Amino acid sequence: MQPDRRLIYLMSVGFRRLQRGMEQQSLSAAQAGVLFVLGQKDGALIGEVADTLDLVPSAMTGLATRMERAGFIRRQRDDQDSRALRLYLTPAGRDARKHATARAQGLNAKLIEGFSEAEIDVVSRWLTSLQRKFPKDTEQSQTE
């Protein structure tokens, strides 16, 4: 039996299923991403978080608004530049991050189950290559 080589289709379906697997009762996969970023760099600028998660600024603003309303983060103006917003985890956000981290670890374990280290290295290398082959500014340069 030949392997299915419809890579775009397979990635799309796999991504949606992973997102559903990552989502928890009150936490979306995108929100979990914000919690992971802030867990590494609490007080990051909203633009830094958006860039790390490969989100456009308007999507990040809406995401931050929803997360602030849910009590996961708080927004604060930057001390040196009042136009800039920094995001901070709240105690509820830190707790949600712990649960999301455990969930992500479980999903990662399930993803690699049944594959050798060498196979996982190839998959990781291939997925990483997508970032080089399709840089963030590809959409912008195609519409200009």
Side-chain angles (χ1 to χ4, degrees), residues 17-80:
R17 291 182 184 185
L18 277 173
Q19 274 191 309
R20 284 193 299 267
M22 190 62 207
E23 290 174 356
Q24 299 170 358
Q25 294 170 350
S26 62
L27 191 67
S28 71
Q31 289 172 328
V34 172
L35 296 179
F36 295 150
V37 172
L38 295 179
Q40 296 294 314
K41 187 178 179 186
D42 203 23
L45 291 168
I46 193 169
E48 293 172 331
V49 177
D51 189 52
T52 301
L53 297 175
D54 203 12
L55 296 173
V56 295
S58 59
M60 185 64 227
T61 299
L63 183 57
T65 297
R66 290 187 299 279
M67 292 184 73
E68 188 173 42
R69 262 192 246 129
F72 295 131
I73 64 167
R74 67 180 172 82
R75 291 189 261 195
Q76 182 177 315
R77 293 267 171 221
D78 184 75
D79 292 337
Q80 279 82 40

